[in-house]
Amino acid sequence: MTLEIHSIRAAPDQILFGFSLNLTNQGSVDAVGLMVRIALNQGSAMTEPVLARFFDGAGGSVLRDDMALAPGAGERLDGEVVLPRATIEPLPMAGKPMLVPVAAFDVTYHWDGAGDGFGQVAGSFVIGRETGPKESDRLAPLPLDRATYVVSQPGARATAMRRSL
């Protein structure tokens, strides 16, 4: 599972994130009944216990349901998600209100055959503005003191909060 952020647009009442979630079946049997869920919030609200509950099935929204992936196959899910400004508690940085958003994805699936089972791949990603080469670990936070803007170099970085069953 990898995430690409294509756009970040701020409007007076919301911040919109355009993304592509890339999924690949690295197993040896068909993954069926895939359900992909998403949750988005500011980083301070996406603590480890909150993310763990999301990975356990609490909260979020269904992005896609009842997918199937053959061994070695992949699928790209394109979408846009909205974070209402009314739900954001600004993070003061250098005297300015800022946002450090975190997106979390939870993919559950089943497989048939020997060793029938259930699988899960889940992860979280910090979203922001690229500050240099994509290989850089750093992303800049998003300003909240401007009513509208478009981020010219949006990006995402995987966090350590992941689960794979």
Coordinates of all heavy atoms in Angstrom, one line a residue, residues 54-104:
F54 N -9.1 2.7 14.9 CA -9.5 2.7 13.5 C -9.1 1.4 12.8 O -9.9 0.8 12.0 CB -8.9 3.9 12.8 CG -9.1 3.9 11.3 CD1 -10.3 4.2 10.7 CD2 -8.0 3.7 10.4 CE1 -10.5 4.2 9.3 CE2 -8.2 3.7 9.0 CZ -9.4 3.9 8.5
F55 N -7.9 1.0 13.0 CA -7.4 -0.3 12.4 C -8.2 -1.5 12.9 O -8.3 -2.5 12.2 CB -5.9 -0.5 12.7 CG -5.0 0.5 12.1 CD1 -3.6 0.5 12.5 CD2 -5.4 1.4 11.1 CE1 -2.7 1.4 12.0 CE2 -4.5 2.3 10.6 CZ -3.1 2.2 11.0
D56 N -8.9 -1.3 14.1 CA -9.7 -2.4 14.6 C -11.2 -2.3 14.1 O -12.0 -3.1 14.4 CB -9.8 -2.3 16.2 CG -8.5 -2.8 16.8 OD1 -7.7 -3.5 16.2 OD2 -8.3 -2.4 18.0
G57 N -11.4 -1.3 13.3 CA -12.7 -1.2 12.6 C -13.6 0.0 13.0 O -14.7 0.2 12.5
A58 N -13.1 0.8 14.0 CA -13.9 2.0 14.5 C -13.7 3.2 13.6 O -12.6 3.6 13.4 CB -13.6 2.2 15.9
G59 N -14.8 3.8 13.2 CA -14.7 5.1 12.5 C -14.3 5.0 11.1 O -14.2 4.0 10.5
G60 N -14.1 6.2 10.5 CA -13.7 6.3 9.1 C -14.8 6.1 8.2 O -16.0 6.0 8.6
S61 N -14.5 6.1 6.9 CA -15.5 5.9 5.8 C -15.0 4.9 4.8 O -13.8 4.7 4.6 CB -15.7 7.2 5.0 OG -16.1 8.3 5.9
V62 N -16.0 4.2 4.2 CA -15.6 3.2 3.2 C -15.3 3.9 1.9 O -16.1 4.6 1.4 CB -16.8 2.1 3.0 CG1 -16.4 1.2 1.9 CG2 -17.0 1.4 4.3
L63 N -14.1 3.6 1.4 CA -13.6 4.2 0.2 C -14.0 3.3 -1.0 O -14.5 3.7 -2.0 CB -12.1 4.4 0.2 CG -11.4 5.0 -1.0 CD1 -11.9 6.4 -1.2 CD2 -9.9 5.0 -0.7
R64 N -13.9 2.0 -0.8 CA -14.2 1.0 -1.8 C -14.5 -0.3 -1.1 O -13.9 -0.6 -0.1 CB -13.1 0.9 -2.8 CG -13.3 0.0 -3.9 CD -13.6 0.7 -5.2 NE -13.7 -0.2 -6.3 CZ -12.8 -0.4 -7.3 NH1 -11.7 0.3 -7.2 NH2 -13.0 -1.3 -8.2
D65 N -15.5 -1.1 -1.7 CA -15.9 -2.3 -1.1 C -16.0 -3.4 -2.2 O -16.2 -3.1 -3.3 CB -17.2 -2.1 -0.4 CG -17.6 -3.2 0.6 OD1 -16.7 -4.1 0.9 OD2 -18.7 -3.2 1.0
D66 N -15.8 -4.7 -1.7 CA -16.0 -5.9 -2.6 C -15.1 -5.9 -3.8 O -15.5 -6.3 -4.9 CB -17.4 -6.0 -3.0 CG -17.8 -7.5 -3.2 OD1 -17.1 -8.4 -2.7 OD2 -18.7 -7.7 -4.0
M67 N -13.8 -5.6 -3.6 CA -12.8 -5.7 -4.6 C -12.1 -7.0 -4.6 O -12.2 -7.7 -3.6 CB -11.7 -4.6 -4.4 CG -12.1 -3.2 -4.6 SD -10.7 -2.1 -4.1 CE -9.3 -2.7 -4.9
A68 N -11.5 -7.4 -5.7 CA -10.7 -8.6 -5.7 C -9.4 -8.3 -6.4 O -9.3 -7.5 -7.4 CB -11.4 -9.7 -6.5
L69 N -8.3 -8.9 -5.9 CA -7.0 -8.7 -6.6 C -6.3 -10.1 -6.7 O -6.1 -10.8 -5.7 CB -6.1 -7.8 -5.7 CG -6.3 -6.3 -5.7 CD1 -5.4 -5.6 -4.7 CD2 -6.1 -5.7 -7.1
A70 N -5.9 -10.4 -7.9 CA -5.2 -11.7 -8.2 C -3.8 -11.5 -7.7 O -3.3 -10.4 -7.5 CB -5.2 -11.9 -9.7
P71 N -3.1 -12.6 -7.5 CA -1.7 -12.5 -7.0 C -0.8 -11.7 -8.0 O -0.9 -11.9 -9.2 CB -1.2 -14.0 -7.1 CG -2.5 -14.8 -6.9 CD -3.5 -14.0 -7.6
G72 N -0.1 -10.8 -7.5 CA 0.7 -9.9 -8.3 C 0.0 -8.7 -8.9 O 0.6 -7.8 -9.4
A73 N -1.3 -8.7 -8.8 CA -2.1 -7.6 -9.4 C -2.1 -6.4 -8.5 O -2.0 -6.5 -7.3 CB -3.5 -8.1 -9.8
G74 N -2.4 -5.3 -9.1 CA -2.5 -4.1 -8.3 C -3.7 -3.2 -8.8 O -4.2 -3.5 -9.9
E75 N -4.1 -2.3 -8.0 CA -5.2 -1.4 -8.3 C -4.9 0.0 -7.7 O -4.4 0.0 -6.6 CB -6.5 -1.9 -7.9 CG -7.6 -1.0 -8.4 CD -8.9 -1.8 -8.7 OE1 -8.9 -3.0 -8.7 OE2 -9.9 -1.1 -8.9
R76 N -5.2 1.0 -8.5 CA -5.1 2.4 -8.0 C -6.4 2.9 -7.7 O -7.3 3.0 -8.6 CB -4.3 3.2 -9.1 CG -4.2 4.6 -8.8 CD -3.4 5.3 -9.9 NE -3.6 6.7 -9.9 CZ -2.8 7.6 -10.4 NH1 -1.7 7.2 -11.0 NH2 -3.1 8.9 -10.4
L77 N -6.6 3.4 -6.5 CA -7.9 4.0 -6.1 C -7.7 5.5 -6.0 O -6.9 6.0 -5.2 CB -8.4 3.5 -4.8 CG -8.5 2.0 -4.7 CD1 -8.9 1.6 -3.3 CD2 -9.5 1.5 -5.7
D78 N -8.3 6.3 -6.9 CA -8.2 7.7 -6.9 C -9.4 8.3 -6.2 O -10.5 7.8 -6.3 CB -8.2 8.3 -8.4 CG -7.0 7.8 -9.1 OD1 -5.9 7.9 -8.6 OD2 -7.1 7.5 -10.3
G79 N -9.2 9.4 -5.5 CA -10.2 10.0 -4.7 C -9.9 11.4 -4.2 O -8.7 11.9 -4.4
E80 N -10.8 12.0 -3.6 CA -10.6 13.3 -2.9 C -11.3 13.2 -1.5 O -12.4 12.7 -1.4 CB -11.2 14.4 -3.7 CG -10.8 15.8 -3.2 CD -11.2 16.9 -4.2 OE1 -12.4 17.1 -4.4 OE2 -10.3 17.5 -4.7
V81 N -10.6 13.7 -0.5 CA -11.2 13.7 0.8 C -11.1 15.1 1.3 O -10.3 15.9 1.0 CB -10.4 12.7 1.7 CG1 -9.0 13.1 1.9 CG2 -11.1 12.4 3.0
V82 N -12.1 15.4 2.2 CA -12.3 16.8 2.7 C -12.1 16.8 4.2 O -12.6 16.0 4.9 CB -13.7 17.3 2.3 CG1 -14.0 18.6 3.0 CG2 -13.9 17.4 0.8
L83 N -11.4 17.8 4.7 CA -11.3 18.1 6.1 C -11.9 19.5 6.4 O -11.4 20.5 5.9 CB -9.8 18.1 6.5 CG -9.5 18.2 8.0 CD1 -10.2 17.1 8.8 CD2 -8.0 18.2 8.3
P84 N -13.1 19.5 7.0 CA -13.8 20.8 7.3 C -12.9 21.6 8.3 O -12.4 21.1 9.3 CB -15.1 20.4 8.0 CG -15.3 18.9 7.6 CD -13.9 18.3 7.5
R85 N -12.8 22.9 8.0 CA -12.0 23.8 8.8 C -12.6 23.9 10.2 O -11.9 24.0 11.2 CB -11.9 25.2 8.2 CG -10.9 25.3 7.1 CD -10.7 26.7 6.7 NE -9.9 26.9 5.5 CZ -8.7 27.5 5.6 NH1 -8.2 28.0 6.7 NH2 -8.0 27.6 4.5
A86 N -13.9 23.7 10.3 CA -14.6 23.8 11.6 C -14.1 22.7 12.6 O -14.2 22.9 13.8 CB -16.1 23.8 11.5
T87 N -13.6 21.6 12.1 CA -13.1 20.5 12.9 C -11.6 20.6 13.3 O -11.1 19.8 14.1 CB -13.3 19.2 12.3 OG1 -12.5 19.1 11.1 CG2 -14.8 19.0 11.9
I88 N -10.9 21.6 12.7 CA -9.5 21.7 12.9 C -9.2 22.6 14.1 O -9.7 23.7 14.3 CB -8.8 22.3 11.7 CG1 -9.0 21.4 10.5 CG2 -7.3 22.5 11.9 CD1 -8.6 22.0 9.2
E89 N -8.3 22.1 15.0 CA -7.8 22.9 16.1 C -6.4 23.3 15.7 O -5.5 22.5 15.6 CB -7.7 22.1 17.4 CG -7.3 23.0 18.6 CD -7.4 22.2 19.9 OE1 -8.3 21.4 20.1 OE2 -6.5 22.4 20.7
P90 N -6.2 24.6 15.3 CA -4.9 25.0 14.8 C -3.7 24.7 15.7 O -3.8 24.8 16.9 CB -5.0 26.5 14.6 CG -6.5 26.7 14.5 CD -7.1 25.7 15.4
L91 N -2.6 24.3 15.1 CA -1.4 24.0 15.8 C -0.5 25.3 15.7 O -0.1 25.6 14.5 CB -0.7 22.8 15.2 CG 0.6 22.4 15.8 CD1 0.5 22.0 17.3 CD2 1.2 21.2 15.0
P92 N -0.2 26.0 16.7 CA 0.6 27.2 16.6 C 2.1 26.9 16.3 O 2.7 26.1 17.0 CB 0.5 27.9 17.9 CG -0.3 27.1 18.8 CD -0.7 25.8 18.1
M93 N 2.6 27.4 15.2 CA 4.0 27.2 14.8 C 4.6 28.6 14.4 O 4.0 29.1 13.5 CB 4.2 26.2 13.7 CG 3.8 24.8 14.0 SD 4.2 23.7 12.6 CE 3.9 22.2 13.3
A94 N 5.6 29.0 15.0 CA 6.2 30.3 14.7 C 5.2 31.4 14.7 O 5.2 32.3 13.9 CB 7.0 30.3 13.4
G95 N 4.2 31.3 15.7 CA 3.2 32.3 15.8 C 2.1 32.3 14.8 O 1.2 33.2 14.7
K96 N 2.1 31.3 14.0 CA 1.0 31.1 12.9 C 0.2 29.9 13.1 O 0.8 28.8 13.6 CB 1.6 31.1 11.5 CG 2.3 32.4 11.2 CD 2.8 32.4 9.7 CE 3.4 33.7 9.4 NZ 3.7 33.8 8.0
P97 N -1.1 29.9 12.8 CA -1.9 28.7 12.9 C -1.6 27.7 11.8 O -1.6 28.1 10.6 CB -3.3 29.2 12.9 CG -3.2 30.4 12.1 CD -1.9 31.0 12.4
M98 N -1.3 26.5 12.1 CA -0.9 25.5 11.1 C -1.7 24.2 11.2 O -2.3 24.0 12.3 CB 0.6 25.2 11.2 CG 1.5 26.4 11.0 SD 1.4 27.3 9.5 CE 2.7 26.6 8.6
L99 N -1.6 23.4 10.2 CA -2.3 22.1 10.2 C -1.3 21.0 9.7 O -0.5 21.2 8.7 CB -3.5 22.1 9.2 CG -4.1 20.7 8.9 CD1 -4.7 20.1 10.1 CD2 -5.1 20.9 7.8
V100 N -1.2 19.9 10.4 CA -0.4 18.7 10.0 C -1.4 17.6 9.9 O -1.8 16.9 10.9 CB 0.7 18.4 11.1 CG1 1.4 17.1 10.6 CG2 1.6 19.6 11.2
P101 N -2.0 17.4 8.7 CA -3.0 16.3 8.6 C -2.4 14.9 8.5 O -1.2 14.8 8.0 CB -3.7 16.7 7.2 CG -2.7 17.6 6.5 CD -1.8 18.2 7.5
V102 N -3.2 14.0 8.9 CA -2.8 12.5 8.9 C -4.0 11.8 8.2 O -5.1 12.0 8.7 CB -2.5 12.0 10.3 CG1 -2.3 10.5 10.2 CG2 -1.2 12.6 10.8
A103 N -3.7 11.0 7.2 CA -4.7 10.1 6.6 C -4.3 8.7 7.0 O -3.2 8.3 7.0 CB -4.6 10.3 5.1
A104 N -5.3 7.9 7.3 CA -5.2 6.5 7.7 C -6.0 5.7 6.7 O -7.1 6.1 6.4 CB -5.6 6.3 9.1

